[in-house]
Amino acid sequence: MQSVNFRDPDFLEDHIRRILAFYHPRCVDREHGGFFQHFRDDGSVYDHATRHLVSSTRFVFNYASAATHFQNSEYRDVAEHGLSFLLEAHWQPPQQGFAWVLNNREASDEVNYCYGLAFVVLAAASAMKASVPRAFEVLELAIDVLDSRFWIDADGLYADEASVGWTTLSEYRGQNANMHGCEALIASYEATGESRYLHRALAIARRVTKDLTQQCDGFVWEHYDARWKVDWEFNRDNPKDLFRPWGIQAGHQTEWAKLLVILDRYCDEEWLLPTAQDLFDRTLRRAWDAEHGGIVYGNAPDGSVCDDDKYFWVQAETFAAAAALAVATGNDEYWDWYDRIWKYSWSHFVDHEHGAWFRILTPDNRKYDDLKSPAGKTDYHTMGACYEAIRSQTESSSSPG
């Protein structure tokens, strides 16, 4: 394998450009608005009609982040194009919610998910950083719905799912929606400088990674009941569920580690870095595949592997966390992990022919199919991880202006 300095900011910026080039401009639907969201390995679109809220928002993040980092007005215009689609198509005024799935601009699934709203907030905050018009309007709208419909003061966390028209709140509770809520609130703080966003992000992080982990040997479990007691059985028979998989998700442990390090840049809290290190260290000890390389998808509560497939986002979030921890702690062992994960990903996940990353591989690193980016995957994780690796090295101690 060609020798590559994976830590070099120039390499990371070039890699971001190469990923974005896979999508741009073929993902932009100028006729109907928004973005095409289903791509094969070669970049061909295999579904022109379906629009998923997660992809719609993540594409805004992708373009707004690129516009900000590279000072590119074309990317800013595309971010504005995507933000307009969120307001004009996904937002459903009669239901006062963002449609989960659209088909030819018509809502085909209007169930309200906190997870989806968190990404609307992240998209809007990212667009604000890029000076996209109406971004603050979308941020205020999404925050208002998120807080009025999902926040439960007594729990100090967000609920997860509500029916169309907000008539019923599901008793299911999930950490994933709260993790991405925390991510979105940090971005909102960075975009606006308003401390209320940071305070809530910190409170969520403490509840999930300090309080709830006491039920699961110090790890973050995915699923809970309405009283935030661990639900060990939820989706046990469906461990590969796209948004609610069973088990201890290695990628979510390290994603939380990354968020805790970011919070540590802004908050004087002694528990943040040690908790981040603990989550990262113990996860990699049991989730790294010593035979084939890479990080497995999930572990059972007893530590055994329950899903040994390799997912692109798990590798990306983990190298981002490794870079953040390496700089924050000064411990070069995290750089060792960073390089190891990158070398594995460079060999198996990065598509050196067409661009972007493959989505999922077998335990021995073979592709399952040629669907590189179905709904939900926009390489937001991979580009975001590269930005974080750059940021960790250049802005390890910062605050919004």
Side-chain angles (χ1 to χ4, degrees):
M1 183 179 69
Q2 180 185 359
S3 178
V4 180
N5 181 0
F6 298 112
R7 307 179 197 180
D8 184 356
D10 289 338
F11 160 78
L12 292 164
E13 287 186 339
D14 181 67
H15 192 61
I16 292 168
R17 290 189 181 97
R18 289 174 182 271
I19 295 173
L20 198 57
F22 172 81
Y23 295 99
H24 185 73
R26 64 167 60 100
C27 70
V28 184
D29 185 349
R30 293 294 185 184
E31 182 179 359
H32 302 103
F35 303 96
F36 299 115
Q37 299 179 359
H38 300 77
F39 300 92
R40 297 191 185 277
D41 285 341
D42 63 2
S44 59
V45 178
Y46 65 90
D47 179 343
H48 290 76
T50 305
R51 301 288 191 268
H52 197 291
L53 182 61
V54 175
S55 285
S56 292
T57 50
R58 286 176 173 178
F59 269 123
V60 174
F61 169 88
N62 289 353
Y63 278 101
S65 298
T68 301
H69 189 86
F70 298 111
Q71 290 298 294
N72 184 300
S73 60
E74 181 183 1
Y75 295 157
R76 183 176 292 106
D77 290 344
V78 177
E80 182 177 358
H81 166 89
L83 197 73
S84 296
F85 189 78
L86 291 177
L87 275 177
E88 296 164 9
H90 276 286
W91 175 246
Q92 306 291 301
Q95 289 75 35
Q96 290 293 289
F98 288 87
W100 185 241
V101 181
L102 302 173
N103 189 277
N104 291 318
R105 293 184 70 106
E106 295 295 324
S108 58
D109 186 344
E110 296 180 81
V111 173
N112 297 287
Y113 292 100
C114 178
Y115 183 91
L117 267 171
F119 276 104
V120 177
V121 173
L122 179 66
S126 303
M128 276 193 69
K129 296 178 187 180
S131 300
V132 173
R134 303 185 74 186
F136 184 64
E137 174 188 346
V138 179
L139 180 67
E140 284 195 313
L141 173 64
I143 286 287
D144 179 65
V145 177
L146 190 64
D147 287 353
S148 63
R149 299 296 189 176
F150 285 116
W151 182 256
I152 299 179
D153 263 329
D155 297 333
L157 291 167
Y158 292 112
D160 206 272
E161 176 184 342
S163 61
V164 179
W166 305 100
T167 54
T168 306
L169 191 65
S170 168
E171 292 195 354
Y172 171 84
R173 300 290 183 268
Q175 80 80 23
N176 199 12
N178 282 277
M179 182 184 72
H180 285 291
C182 179
E183 174 191 32
L185 289 165
I186 293 171
S188 300
Y189 168 64
E190 292 171 341
T192 67
E194 292 190 29
S195 59
R196 63 189 175 104
Y197 296 129
L198 183 63
H199 292 159
R200 177 156 292 181
L202 181 65
I204 292 170
R206 183 185 291 109
R207 282 284 286 131
V208 174
T209 67
K210 293 293 286 181
D211 298 345
L212 298 183
T213 52
Q214 295 179 30
Q215 302 178 65
C216 190
D217 191 31
F219 289 103
V220 177
W221 188 253
E222 295 293 313
H223 313 298
Y224 302 81
D225 64 18
R227 298 175 299 282
W228 284 100
K229 299 296 183 184
V230 163
D231 185 342
W232 301 108
E233 299 304 316
F234 186 90
N235 270 350
R236 180 186 281 270
D237 59 348
N238 187 22
K240 296 181 185 295
D241 184 86
L242 182 60
F243 296 114
R244 295 173 175 177
W246 186 82
I248 298 169
Q249 299 299 298
H252 285 163
Q253 313 305 307
T254 58
E255 197 166 356
W256 266 118
K258 179 194 74 173
L259 293 174
L260 295 178
V261 177
I262 294 171
L263 283 169
D264 186 63
R265 296 172 190 159
Y266 302 130
C267 305
D268 184 18
E269 297 276 338
E270 292 183 357
W271 62 273
L272 287 166
L273 269 185
T275 305
Q277 290 180 268
D278 182 67
L279 282 172
F280 186 98
D281 295 348
R282 294 200 299 139
T283 294
L284 268 293
R285 281 199 292 269
R286 62 197 223 167
W288 180 260
D289 183 344
E291 180 180 359
H292 300 293
I295 303 160
V296 302
Y297 195 48
N299 294 90
D302 65 3
S304 61
V305 176
C306 64
D307 189 340
D308 54 3
D309 281 340
K310 312 293 170 54
Y311 282 71
F312 84 104
W313 69 266
V314 176
Q315 323 307 315
E317 289 296 340
T318 307
F319 83 65
L325 282 166
V327 173
T329 66
N331 186 342
D332 283 344
E333 290 183 9
Y334 293 114
W335 280 128
D336 293 341
W337 271 118
Y338 176 91
D339 291 335
R340 187 178 305 145
I341 297 162
W342 249 119
K343 288 175 183 176
Y344 165 78
S345 301
W346 191 250
S347 295
H348 299 290
F349 269 105
V350 176
D351 184 345
H352 296 284
E353 180 181 1
H354 298 295
W357 288 39
F358 301 120
R359 186 179 74 92
I360 179 174
L361 303 177
T362 63
D364 59 351
N365 303 316
R366 292 174 291 108
K367 290 193 305 175
Y368 278 103
D369 53 42
D370 70 343
L371 305 183
K372 178 173 285 170
S373 292
K377 181 182 181 287
T378 66
D379 277 81
Y380 129 88
H381 286 284
T382 50
M383 287 186 281
C386 290
Y387 287 123
E388 180 54 38
I390 295 169
R391 184 184 183 191
S392 293
Q393 297 177 77
T394 60
E395 302 175 24
S396 58
S397 180
S398 61
S399 60

